[in-house]
Amino acid sequence: MKTSELMSRRDWLAGAAAIACGATVQPARANTAKSVKVKSVAAVVSIYEPKTHADVLVGKILQGWKQDGGTGPALTLSSLYVDQISDRDLSRQMAAKYNVPIFDTIEKAVTAGMDRIPVDGVISIGEHGDYPVNFKGQQLYPRRRFFKEITDTFQKYHRVVPVFNDKHPGPVWTDAKWMYDRAQEMKVPFMAGSSLPLTYRKPELDLPLGSEIEAAVGIGYSNLDRYGFHALECYQCLVERRRGAESGVEWVQYLEGDSMWNVLDEGLVSQNVFNAALAAVPKVRQGDVRDDPDAGLFLFRYNDGFLGALFMLQSVNRTSVALKLKGQAKPVATQFEERTEPAHPHFAYLLKGIERMIHTGRPSYPVERTILTSGILDRALTSRFQDGKKLKTPELAIRYQPVDYPHAPQPDLSSNPSQPLVK
């Protein structure tokens, strides 16, 4: 679609000039409760249909946190690139309503059709759409291609701005590592990840940094690639808070059938901690969980000796993590909620983290967490197609220091994004 189909070039250039000069502007819908300088973003998305990630992230910039026309982030959408247009496409309708130009290349979106980069950040959403699936079950979303074209544009126009990559970079490990290395080399403020580490927890579980965690078990559900990533992010956002911080993963293995349940029977993984995690999620199939024919286990050992265990079950329909803490007799467990109303609110808390990065120029939490979970997932899926072989993973010796970034409902969605968030 050409820009001229959506708005006049004169109107667009006038708006772009105001944004480029750092003006405080009011988007088409009501802005934040406090008067702050609005930052502009370009969005690069695979597909923009109702309830896709593009809808529940970009839609909140256009329509407010609840996508009801009310208060929203201190961000304005300056430009949009859509990789695939479907019969259910929302992008044209939304672009026309909010005077946002759609461009036919990523470079044009990042430059907003100009000869420089006027935007303050880029949101890259390579999720949903018609893309091939490889033999390991990984849907080959164009996340590396998106990131390459975004950063190629940075190089061409000699300006770097923060980039958020929805979900896991890659999803193939070599692509994820390439993206991380390029961000490091070019000094791109880079964030990525799932919305679930920032969602509501049921019951509330707020684990202090430096906690003495003796064991942890996670439970995930549905597709091993798409939802396995969410479950690993939930698991990692808690176990990274153990004493000593994070030094990466030594090996990864995928188990199924009797071999996965043997880790409980032989005591390698605590049955009590597993039971606590299982009790925290709703069931969709009655009977013994061991009768689940499609269950699988991601088993991995961290470099500090801590054992990771994530059970992917098709007899449940939510994600949970249980922890055995030193000095406490009973495990603690929580479910990571996936509310749909109003407008998938956990994505509002993810967008709050993105907003903060674009305003401060610094990631709200380390991208290394997501790079590590991406690697664990890729290696687990590789092990699955190598008959459960235990794979040594020196490439996952990823060190980072976690930060105390809050989850829902603690961040004030109306607060000044440039100010620190406190619990």
Side-chain angles (χ1 to χ4, degrees):
M1 178 185 295
K2 295 179 180 179
T3 304
S4 58
E5 293 177 51
L6 301 177
M7 62 187 299
S8 75
R9 181 167 177 80
R10 178 187 303 170
D11 290 343
W12 162 238
L13 288 176
I19 293 165
C21 292
T24 300
V25 299
Q26 291 294 324
R29 45 98 191 130
N31 199 11
T32 51
K34 299 178 182 178
S35 178
V36 296
K37 185 177 179 179
V38 174
K39 298 284 188 177
S40 61
V41 296
V44 175
V45 308
S46 54
I47 196 168
Y48 194 157
E49 294 180 352
K51 299 184 179 180
T52 59
H53 286 204
D55 181 25
V56 296
L57 281 172
V58 176
K60 288 174 173 53
I61 297 173
L62 296 173
Q63 300 172 292
W65 294 118
K66 297 180 181 180
Q67 294 181 244
D68 60 357
T71 298
L75 299 172
T76 188
L77 185 65
S78 293
S79 53
L80 182 61
Y81 168 83
V82 184
D83 202 49
Q84 296 181 352
I85 301 292
S86 71
D87 293 340
R88 301 179 66 239
D89 176 66
L90 272 180
S91 65
R92 300 179 186 189
Q93 170 188 332
M94 298 296 284
K97 181 176 181 180
Y98 293 101
N99 288 339
V100 176
I102 297 178
F103 291 98
D104 58 4
T105 69
I106 291 173
E107 178 181 331
K108 289 178 184 177
V110 174
T111 62
M114 306 173 83
D115 60 357
R116 56 197 172 91
I117 297 175
V119 299
D120 299 301
V122 180
I123 297 176
S124 178
I125 305 174
E127 178 74 5
H128 303 292
D130 184 15
Y131 297 96
V133 177
N134 69 10
F135 72 97
K136 292 189 291 187
Q138 295 168 303
Q139 189 150 17
L140 301 178
Y141 292 115
R143 295 169 191 158
R144 173 172 173 165
R145 171 165 63 86
F146 283 6
F147 193 71
K148 181 181 186 302
E149 293 188 34
I150 291 165
T151 52
D152 282 352
T153 305
F154 292 170
Q155 288 182 323
K156 181 176 179 179
Y157 294 94
H158 309 292
R159 186 183 178 213
V160 166
V161 298
V163 178
F164 172 76
N165 177 92
D166 184 50
K167 290 192 71 176
H168 46 318
V172 177
W173 167 249
T174 52
D175 290 348
K177 183 64 164 55
W178 183 91
M179 293 168 69
Y180 177 73
D181 288 345
R182 172 163 261 216
Q184 293 290 104
E185 176 188 350
M186 294 181 60
K187 296 182 172 53
V188 177
F190 188 35
M191 270 176 62
S194 167
S195 62
L196 291 189
L198 299 109
T199 193
Y200 303 84
R201 297 175 186 178
K202 181 182 178 182
E204 175 59 31
L205 177 59
D206 192 4
L207 196 66
L209 292 172
S211 293
E212 295 193 65
I213 306 174
E214 295 182 338
V217 172
I219 288 179
Y221 71 104
S222 191
N223 178 274
L224 293 179
D225 180 34
R226 290 197 305 275
Y227 284 86
F229 170 72
H230 287 301
L232 282 168
E233 285 270 280
C234 293
Y235 188 88
Q236 187 63 24
C237 82
L238 290 177
V239 302
E240 71 180 5
R241 303 172 81 88
R242 68 193 185 279
R243 178 169 291 183
E246 188 54 72
S247 60
V249 166
E250 177 187 0
W251 55 258
V252 177
Q253 186 174 23
Y254 178 86
L255 299 173
E256 59 187 10
D258 290 342
S259 60
M260 71 175 287
W261 301 116
N262 286 343
V263 303
L264 296 174
D265 297 336
E266 296 170 2
L268 182 62
V269 173
S270 167
Q271 181 74 56
N272 286 341
V273 181
F274 171 81
N275 290 344
L278 185 61
V281 290
K283 315 302 184 294
V284 294
R285 189 182 300 166
Q286 298 303 313
D288 190 338
V289 68
R290 297 190 182 212
D291 294 334
D292 185 341
D294 300 313
L297 170 63
F298 300 163
L299 192 68
F300 44 100
R301 187 179 298 280
Y302 291 87
N303 285 327
D304 63 0
F306 192 85
L307 186 67
L310 173 65
F311 290 79
M312 293 295 295
L313 307 178
Q314 306 311 312
S315 54
V316 304
N317 69 346
R318 283 297 181 266
T319 299
S320 68
V321 177
L323 306 159
K324 172 64 175 67
L325 302 176
K326 186 175 182 179
Q328 296 188 18
K330 292 184 178 180
V332 295
T334 191
Q335 177 196 142
F336 292 77
E337 291 193 26
E338 297 177 53
R339 301 181 185 181
T340 58
E341 299 297 336
H344 296 80
H346 43 294
F347 281 92
Y349 292 97
L350 175 61
L351 183 58
K352 185 65 183 178
I354 298 167
E355 175 199 39
R356 186 164 181 254
M357 175 181 69
I358 290 169
H359 276 260
T360 63
R362 300 184 301 275
S364 298
Y365 40 84
V367 73
E368 286 81 4
R369 177 175 74 201
T370 302
I371 298 299
L372 181 59
T373 56
S374 299
I376 295 170
L377 178 61
D378 180 86
R379 293 328 192 207
L381 296 177
T382 302
S383 171
R384 182 183 181 215
F385 282 91
Q386 293 184 9
D387 298 321
K389 180 181 179 181
K390 183 184 292 185
L391 302 177
K392 293 288 186 180
T393 55
E395 68 278 10
L396 300 186
I398 298 169
R399 293 181 176 272
Y400 69 93
Q401 184 69 43
V403 301
D404 206 17
Y405 188 85
H407 58 270
Q410 291 165 319
D412 181 0
L413 292 178
S414 67
S415 68
N416 186 332
S418 65
Q419 297 300 313
L421 293 172
V422 293
K423 289 196 171 186

